[in-house]
Amino acid sequence: MSATLLVSDLDPFAPEFLGDPYPAHAALRDAGPVVRLERYRTWASARHAPVRAALLDHETFCSSAGVGISDFRKEEPWRTPSLLLEADPPEHTRARRVVAGVLSAAAMRRLAEDFMSAADELVARLADGEPFDAMTDLATAFPVHVFSEAVGVPDDKRENLLTYARMVFNTFGPRNELFRNAVADAGPVRDWIAQRCRAENLLSGGMGAEIHARAAAEGFTGEESAMLVRSFLSAGVDTTVHGLGNALWCLAQHPEQFAALRSEPDRARAAFEEVLRFEAPVQTFFRTTTREVELDGVTIGDGEKILLFLGAANRDPRQWPDADVFNISRRATGHVGFGFGIHACVGMAMARLEGEAVLTALARHVRKIEPTGEPRRMLNNTLRGLESLPLRLVPA
Ligand code: 8QM
């Protein structure tokens, strides 16, 4: 028998928690390696070692019962489950191979120049010392543009990508107000996404068209291929929007870290990695046990949901010296912001390229990042990020 601590009142999806999760993360980590969340009758872990161990053991901690709080074996999923995210081997392996082929290192080398010049142009234009909203005009504008161009999403109502992703990330949580508001009146956006996923609506030469071609060659039906494009459109934009927004916020709050980046623009990639550790855009994911298992000394029964706090694992003092300090010079590798194991973010090279492009452009063109007002936080059951970030960029 292992001792378990009942954290009866903690609601990790309540607005107060989502607004500032870090004190509660510390309490969860200190309570034990694995704790019980009474309110939702699930298990949870906020420490780095067990979170990483669970992500690596995909047979015991499966994804096919959903990676949100809803158990697909008991509840009807709100949308057709993803062939990638909400699947286990061997189905997952087949789908992953197609998508990974499209997001290869060679594909990233082809995108790099475009991403770098798009970021350079945008940041150079914004760095005029005038106040602007860095969420709208930079952190959102850049990914929506470069992602849509790379994937081949036509330039019409692309902002629907953000609405849809926000909905997807809210639906990993419980049916609280965030969930209900997200799915209310979702019909038109869902229809728009479904249309954009079809081969005939994707621009030729883009990654979306390539998904269809590669998937067809592997024996996927047209409908299944469209589902793989849906994964792109679900996971590819809002994540990088908030990664970039969090980066701008971190650098604005820590001028000495921005000065360090300016003195050595080659540190842009490492700096973005530290942002993902320090302010992980994807804060949580669930897994479901396929057998009774002991995780870091705590026994979890078969068929149980467990909430993995990626953002808390990334600040576990058992793993990181000065875990709560934002330091672009540290080795942030080993953070779980992209997950770990067979489900680790398949688009991480593209996300890193976007981060590198924007941070390099900031290092080149900007002398100071100055807040000009209070940022407004966006609350989401899974994502951590900002709604608005007023600042000005003093030109170099
Ligand atoms: C989160 O639909 C999908 O396949 C999918 C949706 C959301 C994600 C990943 C995949 C992790 C970024």
Side-chain angles (χ1 to χ4, degrees), residues 5 74 134 148 287 297 361:
L5 188 121
K74 299 175 183 162
S148 299
R287 290 291 189 263

Side-chain angles (χ1 to χ4, degrees), residues 91-391:
E91 292 82 5
H92 167 265
T93 318
R94 254 182 97 228
R96 173 100 184 185
R97 191 158 46 231
V98 169
V99 176
V102 176
L103 289 161
S104 66
M108 295 307 112
R109 282 192 292 276
R110 288 193 293 274
L111 289 178
E113 216 176 293
D114 279 359
F115 280 28
M116 293 304 246
S117 59
D120 202 75
E121 205 175 296
L122 178 58
V123 171
R125 183 159 57 73
L126 292 169
D128 62 358
E130 293 300 317
F132 68 103
D133 185 347
M135 279 316 293
T136 309
D137 300 340
L138 180 49
T140 304
F142 179 72
V144 168
H145 177 73
V146 296
F147 175 91
S148 299
E149 293 295 314
V151 175
V153 179
D155 189 4
D156 177 42
K157 303 210 187 91
R158 284 173 174 172
E159 66 280 1
N160 279 339
L161 294 167
L162 303 163
T163 313
Y164 183 72
R166 225 175 249 209
M167 176 185 344
V168 168
F169 284 101
N170 269 320
T171 59
F172 293 129
R175 291 182 184 263
N176 56 15
E177 196 176 336
L178 288 167
F179 186 119
R180 286 193 302 273
N181 289 342
V183 297
D185 314 314
V189 169
R190 295 185 64 180
D191 292 346
W192 184 90
I193 289 286
Q195 284 303 318
R196 301 274 68 79
C197 291
R198 296 164 63 98
E200 65 267 32
N201 295 329
L202 289 157
L203 303 175
S204 63
M207 297 172 120
E210 198 184 345
I211 291 273
H212 276 280
R214 283 177 182 264
E218 296 276 339
F220 286 86
T221 66
E223 211 165 303
E224 289 169 332
S225 308
M227 285 285 295
L228 295 177
V229 177
R230 195 192 73 175
S231 286
F232 253 79
L233 304 190
S234 301
V237 186
D238 236 18
T239 47
T240 50
V241 164
H242 294 295
L244 292 170
N246 292 350
L248 286 157
W249 187 56
C250 286
L251 294 171
Q253 295 300 307
H254 301 90
E256 81 294 347
Q257 295 300 309
F258 183 58
L261 172 62
R262 274 194 72 211
S263 73
E264 250 180 290
D266 286 356
R267 283 150 86 169
R269 258 182 115 78
F272 190 60
E273 220 55 33
E274 170 66 350
V275 171
L276 299 180
R277 182 196 71 83
F278 190 72
E279 289 284 356
V282 177
Q283 284 278 305
T284 47
F285 265 125
F286 287 83
R287 290 291 189 263
T288 311
T289 57
T290 56
R291 62 178 175 89
E292 183 180 289
V293 60
E294 196 178 295
L295 181 59
D296 215 332
V298 178
T299 303
I300 305 171
D302 181 16
E304 296 275 338
K305 282 273 172 182
I306 177 167
L307 175 54
L308 305 177
F309 285 96
L310 309 177
N314 282 350
R315 286 174 177 240
D316 185 351
R318 296 157 192 82
Q319 176 71 15
W320 316 92
D322 302 317
D324 286 321
V325 175
F326 176 67
N327 174 8
I328 69 162
S329 304
R330 76 160 73 232
R331 287 175 50 92
T333 45
H335 74 78
V336 291
F338 285 125
F340 233 90
I342 66 165
H343 285 279
C345 178
V346 71
M348 68 171 106
M350 190 156 149
R352 285 175 169 145
L353 197 56
E354 290 180 35
E356 179 185 13
V358 170
L359 296 198
T360 302
L362 288 168
R364 273 200 201 127
H365 293 288
V366 175
R367 187 154 52 85
K368 268 185 89 179
I369 305 175
E370 286 185 352
T372 55
E374 281 302 307
R376 202 150 36 83
R377 190 151 283 290
M378 171 213 55
L379 296 187
N380 184 283
N381 279 330
T382 306
L383 293 171
R384 177 164 175 80
L386 300 173
E387 189 77 60
S388 86
L389 177 60
L391 47 80

